[in-house]
Amino acid sequence: MSDGHHNGHEHVPGRQRRRFPGISSRAYEHPADRSALVALRRLSGFDTVFKALSGLLPERSLRLLFLSDSVRVSDRQFAHLNVMLRDACYILDLEKVPAMYVKQDPAPNAMCIGLDEPIIVVTTGLVELLDEEEMRAVVGHEVGHALSGHAVYRTILLFLTSLAVRVAWIPLGNVAIMAIVTALREWFRKSELSADRAGLLVGQDLRASMRGLMKIAGGNHLHEMNVDAFLEQAEEYEAGGDLRDSVLKILNVLPRSHPFTTVRAAELKKWAASRDHQRTMDGHYPRRDEDKDASVRDSFRESASSYATHVRNSKDPLMKLVNDIAGGAGDLGDRMRRGFGGFAGSQRQPGNGDGPAEGPEDGSGRPDGPEGPGGPKGPGDDGPGSSRDSAPRDGA
């Protein structure tokens, strides 16, 4: 496989990377993202409707704008990016290589737009910021978006945002639409976690993926940054503060299309250590020709399990409170069932002279129930980064 070389960036010797023939995007999609996409793919006529919608939205205008006012990547322009793009499509077995453009913009960013013929856009700020292997992960990230069909989210978001403005005068009309937009943004954030995983499958270098995320957060000062310290920030962010901070976290993330950078790094590291990632690297992954048979019910069940596991394992004060309340309610129900059972048992032996049997609070050392702190873990607890674990601007 070819390797890229260009002035101003580190030259990395070419190496063979594993290829994934016929891989389905379900292999790397976050459960919440996958459940939405599986459902959308099963809708009859869905592709036709939204391809028609995409032609009515700014997407068509953007396509013409990039063609007229950006530099198209080819073997004659930004040849090193062209090599990376073709390699990424080869590794993920994407038959049609998307068009790719470099846009003059000092802000590091990248995006993939388009339903029928996706195009990838990267800014000069990103090209100048990242080294070769870091950029390879970003290109893989965007190719992952194209393979998954994530432009669906963008198209719906653009359409509903435009519609919300037009119906703002209708009582509660805007509120209802914005509620849907909020849900779509949550899906979109999870699609970014999915694309980060695709970038890792393409680059096959976790440290390069981590470096890229660090640079996007803190600029080109790697000598001043440390991956472990960066990941510690994510842990501090999740666990720190009190309930007020938990509410502020929710308010801060709601309008965003992307998860926070430290969170993305932590999630990617978890997935890299998961059994799902290892199985994919070993060649055991869902195939594209099986997508039509994917179960919507199973996908939503996995998504629900993922969110439940996230709440159960989260160190966030609000999530811990929710988990404690849920666990307490389950424990209360279990105590009630055991109490009535003990009472019924005493009635069956009225002549034993021992009085009614003692209830569950007799100090017998009853083990915690399934939802209690000592109970067995649920089916979503098979690893910190497994497919069951617990995210219109498409950042790198």
Side-chain angles (χ1 to χ4, degrees):
M1 189 174 298
S2 303
D3 72 296
H5 174 68
H6 57 294
N7 294 331
H9 289 73
E10 178 185 359
H11 176 77
V12 180
R15 62 182 176 89
Q16 291 294 323
R17 293 174 176 81
R18 297 186 183 182
R19 184 172 180 252
F20 308 99
I23 189 172
S24 166
S25 59
R26 291 180 291 123
Y28 58 80
E29 286 163 352
H30 184 281
D33 176 32
R34 182 167 60 244
S35 65
L37 289 173
V38 168
L40 290 175
R41 290 165 185 152
R42 295 293 291 272
L43 291 179
S44 178
F46 171 81
D47 286 348
T48 302
V49 171
F50 281 99
K51 284 176 183 177
L53 281 177
S54 69
L56 303 176
L57 296 170
E59 180 183 298
R60 182 179 292 272
S61 175
L62 286 173
R63 186 186 300 273
L64 292 171
L65 179 63
F66 292 131
L67 182 63
S68 63
D69 203 31
S70 301
V71 177
R72 182 159 57 190
V73 171
S74 67
D75 57 356
R76 294 183 297 166
Q77 301 186 115
F78 289 98
H80 70 287
L81 293 181
N82 189 52
V83 170
M84 292 181 194
L85 176 62
R86 297 181 69 85
D87 282 355
C89 293
Y90 175 78
I91 290 170
L92 294 181
D93 199 17
L94 187 64
E95 293 183 4
K96 188 172 184 179
V97 179
M100 186 174 182
Y101 295 88
V102 176
K103 179 181 183 299
Q104 170 59 33
D105 187 341
N109 191 31
M111 62 181 174
C112 178
I113 64 172
L115 288 177
D116 194 19
E117 296 184 5
I119 64 172
I120 295 171
V121 181
V122 297
T123 64
T124 52
L126 188 69
V127 174
E128 293 163 4
L129 177 66
L130 303 183
D131 70 25
E132 183 175 320
E133 291 301 292
E134 295 157 6
M135 193 68 197
R136 189 184 299 277
V138 169
V139 173
H141 174 112
E142 300 305 329
V143 170
H145 277 311
L147 180 58
S148 287
H150 283 148
V152 167
Y153 293 140
R154 180 185 312 283
T155 301
I156 302 174
L157 276 171
L158 286 170
F159 176 73
L160 289 178
T161 302
S162 174
L163 184 62
V165 174
R166 297 179 184 180
V167 301
W169 60 274
I170 302 176
L172 300 180
N174 186 51
V175 174
I177 292 177
M178 291 312 296
I180 300 175
V181 168
T182 299
L184 283 169
R185 282 181 179 147
E186 168 63 10
W187 278 339
F188 202 91
R189 287 190 291 270
K190 294 299 185 284
S191 78
E192 289 301 314
L193 299 181
S194 300
D196 284 343
R197 297 173 179 184
L200 181 59
L201 291 179
V202 168
Q204 299 174 24
D205 185 343
L206 179 60
R207 295 194 66 82
S209 295
M210 291 292 172
R211 291 198 311 266
L213 290 169
M214 285 173 57
K215 284 184 176 181
I216 290 172
N220 193 14
H221 303 281
L222 276 180
H223 62 289
E224 298 285 355
M225 294 186 282
N226 178 278
V227 171
D228 293 333
F230 189 65
L231 292 172
E232 287 170 7
Q233 288 181 226
E235 186 174 350
E236 181 180 346
Y237 168 78
E238 182 181 8
D242 53 23
L243 291 178
R244 292 170 298 179
D245 294 303
S246 298
V247 173
L248 289 174
K249 292 176 191 176
I250 294 173
L251 294 177
N252 285 340
V253 80
L254 279 179
R256 292 177 59 92
S257 62
H258 287 57
F260 294 112
T261 316
T262 57
V263 175
R264 289 173 62 183
E267 289 291 330
L268 185 59
K269 184 179 180 182
K270 289 179 186 177
W271 189 71
S274 71
R275 182 170 176 267
D276 283 349
H277 175 252
Q278 187 56 56
R279 283 180 55 80
T280 299
M281 294 302 295
D282 290 341
H284 305 292
Y285 49 81
R287 307 283 167 156
R288 209 171 301 160
D289 55 11
E290 301 167 349
D291 282 349
K292 63 182 182 301
D293 300 320
S295 169
V296 176
R297 179 177 297 178
D298 288 346
S299 297
F300 275 102
R301 187 182 296 116
E302 289 185 8
S303 177
S305 176
S306 170
Y307 279 113
T309 302
H310 174 70
V311 172
R312 188 161 54 247
N313 295 336
S314 176
K315 298 178 182 178
D316 180 81
L318 180 58
M319 294 298 101
K320 289 176 68 176
L321 176 62
V322 170
N323 191 46
D324 288 345
I325 292 175
D331 185 63
L332 176 61
D334 188 55
R335 286 173 180 268
M336 289 290 290
R337 287 191 296 272
R338 291 175 63 86
F340 283 115
F343 178 77
S346 69
Q347 293 297 319
R348 287 191 295 269
Q349 300 178 7
N352 61 8
D354 294 332
E358 288 186 287
E361 297 185 9
D362 58 359
S364 60
R366 176 184 59 82
D368 292 319
E371 295 184 359
K377 292 183 179 181
D381 292 310
D382 47 352
S386 71
S387 64
R388 298 171 182 264
D389 75 319
S390 38
R393 182 170 175 258
D394 211 2

